[in-house]
Amino acid sequence: MAEVWTIAETHNGSLKEVSFELLARGRALADELEVPLASVVLASHTREGELERLAAYGADIIYVAEDERFASFTVHSHAAVLLPLVRDHGPQIILAAATTTGRTLLPYLAVKLGCGLTADCTSLAIEEGTGNLLQIRPAIGGNIMATIKSPDHRPQMATSRPRSTPLGNMDTTRRATVIRVDPPSLSTDPVEVLGVRPFRDQQTSIEDARTVVSGGKGLKKRENFTLIEQLATALGGEVGASRDAVDRGWATYPHQVGLSGKTISPELYIAIGISGAIQHLAGIKTAKRIVVINNDDEANILDIADVAIIGDLFAIIPVLLRRLNERRKTQ
Amino acid sequence: MHIIVPIKQVPQSSDVKMDPVTGTMIRSGRSSTLNPLDLYALEAAFRLTEAHGGSVTVVTMGPDSAANILKEALSMGAERAIHLTDRPFGGSDTYATSYVLSRAIEKIGSYDLVITGERATDGDTAQVGPGIAAWLDLGLVTYVSSIEEATSTHLVAERLVEEGYQRVQVALPALLTVVKEIAIPRLPTLKGKKRAMASTIERWDAEAIEADRSRIGLKGSPTRVVKIETPKVARSCTIYHADGDEATLAAVDHLIDLLEEQQLLKEVHHG
Ligand SMILES: Cc1cc2nc3c(=O)[nH]c(=O)nc-3n(C[C@H](O)[C@H](O)[C@H](O)COP(=O)(O)OP(=O)(O)OC[C@H]3O[C@@H](n4cnc5c(N)ncnc54)[C@H](O)[C@@H]3O)c2cc1C
Ligand SMILES: Nc1ncnc2c1ncn2[C@@H]1O[C@H](COP(=O)(O)O)[C@@H](O)[C@H]1O
């Protein structure tokens, strides 16, 4: 029975959360198809207990290739393992994360394997009757949802964003078959990783954050942008910004939300002093909750907001910070 | 250094409206533009050729109107422009598009680098760059945020990834996809515009690039769009007015209660 595969991602020898989220998606598909679910792990080493966690979150089979060179990602070293593995085992579906790794690896593999790929799926389902994978994704800046199929090519490949699906139930009694894969020798990798320079401000990427607090031109000047940072800290979230704020140098580009910045799906998005230009909205359409602070009760952003406080942000945020702080003290 | 930059014509997003009845896209006539993220690919290419000599060739696959973005690139400093246009190219997905572009790049020949935008703002897939690298077996470095060093044989660059900036060295020829941090794009100059007017754009069809017919257009595309829906925006916004101190306090407390109810406040750790 052709398997369903998910590609795990690791960082410093630990599996990233998204590896388990992919298993939740994969489990549903594999159950529907009544086939085994496999997780593929390429890592420099795997920590004690990590593979068991994959089993607990739904993997029936775990393919593991361990090699020093997987300490950092290059598409060539990963493809050298995955291409023969896919050809040998013939999975019908491969799911990966829509991260910088997944979004580099999967399109490369798709061409090499001669099959289709759908990026950033928000939902995946099996079509009744045909067993084809239905891949649903936002398109044109979130204005439409497209359902995509790849009926005549296998494997069917898709990526989905981190945090776009909840984890499945963990069952520590579940066991998986672990299959060790010898990484084939890659005579030369055109890409050599020299090192990693962490972000100066130690932030997690806004794409991974549960809460994102964004500021726009309404903040008026750079110094005021610290209000956004303080609120983000108080809420345990990350800082986002509109393009106008980034262009003015109040925040750096990795913080930019929107069409030419990042598309994010946090649990909570707070937009402060942001008008909600269509290019900005394109980045937040899939956020679960949207809260707005703006002095214009006709701002565009209200169209997609759940809650709005209309008024002067410079009066509102200090009160909000104070009340959050008081609440913390009384707990 | 010869650099090839594939660029794409995209709808100006603010002009994209959905027909509320049919759920189809309404594209007004003159609403197309150069993919804004391709400006960064062009700028990176110009800076490299200015520093190391050489030239930039731009290529696009698209309808007749896509010639406009080639003119724009010429007026910014590209030396040669190629327009891939032919009926059978129509309906290409990213697999077929990257195939067509790779055939064209092969025909252009003798290049050191191919630089693409991070993604096109319409399809938003970021798949065409890596796809081209796969067709041509090029070294691939995505999300490049700066280029530190370039020689005739290799390049040292940084990539913007989830953990920070990954520094890599890549052997040439290679394909890079670049992010916005790489440089601030230039504007077309008057002199450049005049030069662009005088330049000719080469038009190539499927035969010119010796494309395998089974790999292009709708027929050559493994993926099929089977349904398009306009998501219903079901949000109804609760509005609190914060006029004056009291109202502000009330509004803020409402918000905090709501966030708490939905478990969106930061966990408070005791001890
Ligand atoms: C091709 C293209 C790509 C783009 N990509 C992006 C992108 O990725 N991301 C992005 O954000 N934009 C993008 N833009 C820009 C976008 O069109 C808008 O210009 C931008 O989002 C506006 O930023 P803003 O909301 O911060 O500023 P403004 O539109 O100026 O809004 C400021 C808001 O602050 C409010 N305000 C002012 N003072 C106060 C106060 N004291 N208290 C409360 N509220 C106040 C105002 O009412 C207003 O609503 C793009 C544009 C183009 C053409
Ligand atoms: N039709 C096309 N013609 C030329 N270049 C393209 C085309 N489609 C995509 N590209 C290039 O590939 C990049 C990524 O596009 P996409 O994969 O569609 O998000 C773009 O920034 C362009 O550099």
Side-chain angles (χ1 to χ4, degrees), chain A residues 5 20 46 62 110 126 170 203 235 248 254 269 328:
Chain A
W5 283 14
F20 303 102
T46 46
I62 305 170
I126 300 297
M170 182 165 156
Q203 59 141 8
L235 292 168
R248 283 174 171 71
Y269 185 72
R328 189 159 312 126

Side-chain angles (χ1 to χ4, degrees), chain A residues 219-282:
Chain A
L219 269 294
K220 305 253 177 347
K221 52 183 183 198
R222 188 189 203 122
E223 299 84 85
N224 297 337
F225 211 77
T226 53
L227 286 170
I228 301 295
E229 287 150 16
Q230 287 170 34
L231 187 57
T233 308
L235 292 168
E238 297 296 335
V239 172
S242 72
R243 185 168 95 172
D244 275 59
V246 170
D247 287 350
R248 283 174 171 71
W250 302 347
T252 55
Y253 177 59
H255 297 268
Q256 184 175 317
V257 174
L259 190 65
S260 51
K262 300 233 165 76
T263 307
I264 57 174
S265 324
E267 298 276 321
L268 173 62
Y269 185 72
I270 306 189
I272 301 174
I274 292 177
S275 62
I278 184 127
Q279 294 89 352
H280 189 82
L281 300 189

